[in-house]
Amino acid sequence: MQLTGSEIVVECLKEQGVDTVFGYPGGAILNVYDALYKHSDEITHILTSHEQGASHAADGYARATGRVGVCLATSGPGATNLVTGIATAYMDSIPVVAITCNVNLPLLGKDSFQEVDITGITLPITKHNFIVKDINSLADTIRRAFEIAQTGRPGPVLIDIPKDVTGVIAEYEKKVIEPVRPDEVSVSDEEINTAVEMIEAAEKPYIFVGGGAVLSDASDELFEFVKRVDAPVCDTLMGKGAFPGTDELYTGMLGMHGTKTSNFGVSECDLLIVVGARFSDRVTGNAKKFANHAKILQFDVDPAEMDKNIVITAGVTGDIKTVLKKVNEKLSQQSHKPWVKQIEEYKAKYPLSYHPDVLSGPFVVEEIYRQTKGDAIITTEVGQHQMWAAQFYKYSRPRTFLTSGGLGTMGYGLGASLGAKMGVPDKTVVNIAGDGCFRMNMNEIATAVRHNIPIIQVVINNHVLGMVRQWQTLFYEKRYSQTVLNDAVDFVKLAEAMGATGLRANTQQEFRVAFEKALTLGKPVVIDCQIDSDEKVWPMVAPGAPISDAFDEGDVAR
């Protein structure tokens, strides 16, 4: 079959089962958009307000569905506007394919209009990238890009196509794409046996769950593993929902804003079992003092993560779902009643709490949990509200908490919420933002309205850059340099100007009523929640301190 390059792009997307793409057209990518127009009944295109929104939407789609997210952009500034979203996906190992188009082949390298070396720019933040200069390799390159994005440790892949390649004709032959399956053969029996021996010898094991357990769809195997080990469980931001936050063995997040229970328990355990986590500095605190009473057993698909940030005792390299399945087959039922009881006592002694009578971030998150019955997809921006969303919403299933963990991208959540809602339309999708983050990409409310994507945007509005201000309060003697946002911006009016419904809440009851209304409207809603500027996230670990030094508001008062 003879097709143009742009038609081959669309046919290859269809081969991969792509039903939704996010993007923004421009001159270099016009041929591809013309081909998409002819297939609009098969592939839905969401025109975002900015290319960064498209990259975050593709990321959110991928996290919510487990499929590859796809975004499109033109050359030059269109391509560079994807960079932040690509880097966000790279840091959190999210499978995204970004397709950009560039200037014609004879114009490459000549500083032509809207030319940029996007493959050079994105080389450090992609799993792989391609520039396709020969149309005869176009189809296979696209197929290879999707395969790379999904296999092993997932990640973003970029394909750059010069415009003239999208216009010439070549032979295209359709291929049936087989689903990507994890490599079960390469998991070492010796490593599995060592892991089982370490677990069976432990008296005080603790299980630490990261995003790898979510990405490998290993929740069932993880649940069986936890019950078989009979150990308490903590997690990272990326690991939320892999193990139910409602289970009695769950102790909350670990690290800088983790619970005291998790931080103290990990500091006292004799075996830390790390399931698909990479030992981020926000988790470990002072790395030299992290879990230094414990042997460390790490399960990870990426051998490069072994001994990278923390020296481990032993590791098993492989897909998390496969590793857990193999360990479960060999591990006998364990019992650690005294240890579990000790951790339960910590949970009773150090619960998460907040001021009960005022509208606050934790209250907002708990009320969202109550009204959605824990069955929503929550996306967030980055900052205090992100930590509250991690602490006070109980995630019982994977792929229901979408947030920028590694890169910490302000402006991520709104685009991600659009992608999540397109991928899982039957779920309520709520983006929780601070007012500083909402300003970053609030133009995507117009996208939600344009395409009638009924997301609920909750702005926890403290009129400051909350997390930065918290650090300034605690560590910079209250020198609030450039963190006050107390200006005349009215988010309710902005929402209405873009065609959404705008609501405001100043009290707990007003928020209850506003969110209840938002759930019934079936259209984009923005709720502006006015909270105190000095609200803080507790507990906290000071930078450079061990996680066992976690402190809260009561400790500061003393």
Side-chain angles (χ1 to χ4, degrees):
M1 185 190 314
Q2 294 281 307
L3 297 177
T4 66
S6 58
E7 291 169 334
I8 289 172
V9 170
V10 173
E11 290 300 324
C12 286
L13 293 178
K14 289 162 57 180
E15 282 181 0
Q16 300 291 335
V18 173
D19 55 14
T20 307
V21 298
F22 307 87
Y24 205 97
I29 202 170
L30 269 179
N31 289 337
V32 173
Y33 270 83
D34 191 54
L36 275 172
Y37 182 86
K38 300 169 187 174
H39 294 270
S40 57
D41 59 332
E42 297 170 282
I43 299 176
T44 298
H45 180 278
I46 301 299
L47 175 64
T48 55
S49 298
H50 190 283
E51 290 92 350
Q52 185 178 337
S55 61
H56 293 326
D59 176 303
Y61 179 97
R63 295 192 202 217
T65 64
R67 303 193 293 272
V68 177
V70 179
C71 57
L72 311 175
T74 195
S75 63
T80 58
N81 283 343
L82 295 178
V83 167
T84 298
I86 293 171
T88 301
Y90 181 75
M91 288 291 282
D92 291 342
S93 303
I94 305 304
V96 169
V97 170
I99 299 174
T100 58
C101 288
N102 217 319
V103 299
N104 289 337
L105 283 167
L107 298 177
L108 287 173
K110 297 182 178 180
D111 295 331
S112 304
F113 177 68
Q114 289 194 333
E115 180 197 1
V116 74
D117 178 12
I118 194 60
T119 54
I121 290 170
T122 59
L123 186 62
I125 56 166
T126 51
K127 193 175 175 187
H128 197 75
N129 65 24
F130 303 89
I131 180 167
V132 183
K133 297 181 179 181
D134 180 359
I135 189 173
N136 294 304
S137 64
L138 179 59
D140 285 341
T141 299
I142 295 172
R143 292 164 185 149
R144 180 71 178 135
F146 275 83
E147 181 183 12
I148 291 171
Q150 299 172 80
T151 52
R153 181 177 185 168
V157 179
L158 179 135
I159 309 167
D160 193 37
I161 313 169
K163 183 175 182 179
D164 45 359
V165 174
T166 68
V168 296
I169 293 175
E171 183 68 24
Y172 163 78
E173 182 178 347
K174 182 178 179 179
K175 287 193 175 181
V176 176
I177 305 299
E178 296 294 328
V180 172
R181 302 186 187 282
D183 177 12
E184 298 188 11
V185 177
S186 64
V187 178
S188 164
D189 287 338
E190 183 179 350
E191 290 180 349
I192 294 291
N193 292 336
T194 299
V196 170
E197 290 171 7
M198 290 177 67
I199 295 167
E200 292 183 342
E203 295 181 2
K204 297 191 294 182
Y206 219 111
I207 298 170
F208 173 41
V209 179
V214 174
L215 294 171
S216 63
D217 294 320
S219 293
D220 291 343
E221 290 78 7
L222 176 63
F223 189 84
E224 180 184 345
F225 176 72
V226 169
K227 298 302 179 178
R228 195 173 287 267
V229 177
D230 188 34
V233 182
C234 61
D235 57 18
T236 67
L237 276 175
M238 295 294 96
K240 290 285 172 190
F243 184 79
T246 53
D247 192 274
E248 59 186 6
L249 288 172
Y250 179 71
T251 65
M253 196 163 59
L254 181 70
M256 179 172 282
H257 293 293
T259 63
K260 283 189 172 183
T261 300
S262 294
N263 286 355
F264 295 168
V266 166
S267 299
E268 297 171 15
C269 70
D270 65 1
L271 175 66
L272 182 63
I273 306 167
V274 184
V275 183
R278 60 184 181 84
F279 296 112
S280 161
D281 57 291
R282 288 298 173 100
V283 162
T284 63
N286 187 326
K288 293 179 180 178
K289 297 182 179 180
F290 178 76
N292 54 4
H293 298 296
K295 294 180 179 179
I296 298 178
L297 172 64
Q298 185 176 6
F299 303 158
D300 206 286
V301 72
D302 187 353
E305 290 299 336
M306 306 292 184
D307 295 320
K308 186 177 85 174
N309 295 327
I310 295 291
V311 176
I312 64 174
T313 310
V316 181
T317 300
D319 172 73
I320 296 298
K321 188 181 185 75
T322 301
V323 170
L324 290 174
K325 190 183 301 182
K326 288 179 176 291
V327 171
N328 287 340
E329 289 171 356
K330 295 191 175 185
L331 182 65
S332 60
Q333 180 62 51
Q334 305 296 296
S335 177
H336 301 102
K337 290 182 181 179
W339 172 237
V340 170
K341 183 180 179 182
Q342 179 182 337
I343 297 303
E344 287 175 348
E345 289 170 354
Y346 280 166
K347 287 171 69 175
K349 186 176 180 180
Y350 303 116
L352 293 172
S353 61
Y354 58 90
H355 299 294
D357 300 323
V358 297
L359 184 64
S360 66
F363 172 83
V364 167
V365 173
E366 282 204 335
E367 185 61 24
I368 293 171
Y369 177 75
R370 283 190 288 268
Q371 291 201 30
T372 61
K373 299 179 175 59
D375 194 32
I377 293 176
I378 303 297
T379 66
T380 79
E381 309 294 344
V382 171
Q384 287 180 316
H385 65 276
Q386 177 190 33
M387 296 298 104
W388 290 324
Q391 291 173 328
F392 290 95
Y393 197 101
K394 297 179 179 66
Y395 301 94
S396 298
R397 287 172 295 281
R399 304 192 181 280
T400 56
F401 181 59
L402 318 183
T403 193
S404 172
L407 197 64
T409 304
M410 294 175 69
Y412 165 81
L414 181 51
S417 72
L418 301 178
K421 187 65 177 176
M422 290 302 299
V424 193
D426 59 328
K427 289 286 188 183
T428 297
V429 178
V430 183
N431 183 50
I432 302 174
D435 50 318
C437 289
F438 183 55
R439 292 164 185 253
M440 293 278 183
N441 283 325
M442 61 188 177
N443 51 356
E444 298 304 339
I445 291 294
T447 304
V449 173
R450 179 189 302 118
H451 294 282
N452 193 27
I453 306 172
I455 53 93
I456 300 173
Q457 169 66 65
V458 175
V459 183
I460 298 179
N461 188 353
N462 54 10
H463 299 279
V464 294
L465 298 178
M467 187 60 84
V468 185
R469 179 186 174 91
Q470 177 166 331
W471 280 51
Q472 289 172 332
T473 299
L474 296 172
F475 309 120
Y476 290 85
E477 298 178 340
K478 299 184 179 181
R479 293 187 294 274
Y480 299 125
S481 177
Q482 304 304 315
T483 52
V484 177
L485 306 176
N486 195 14
D487 51 31
V489 177
D490 186 326
F491 292 139
V492 172
K493 288 182 179 178
L494 273 169
E496 292 170 347
M498 288 189 277
T501 296
L503 304 170
R504 183 173 287 112
N506 294 286
T507 67
Q508 292 183 355
Q509 181 58 19
E510 286 178 358
F511 180 73
R512 288 189 189 99
V513 172
F515 193 77
E516 185 176 359
K517 180 177 180 180
L519 287 172
T520 66
L521 288 176
K523 60 177 292 190
V525 180
V526 177
I527 307 176
D528 180 13
C529 304
Q530 300 285 319
I531 74 164
D532 188 86
S533 297
D534 285 318
E535 190 79 31
K536 292 180 176 61
V537 178
W538 303 114
M540 184 174 186
V541 176
I547 59 172
S548 56
D549 286 355
F551 63 93
D552 56 25
E553 188 173 20
D555 298 320
V556 172
R558 286 193 289 272

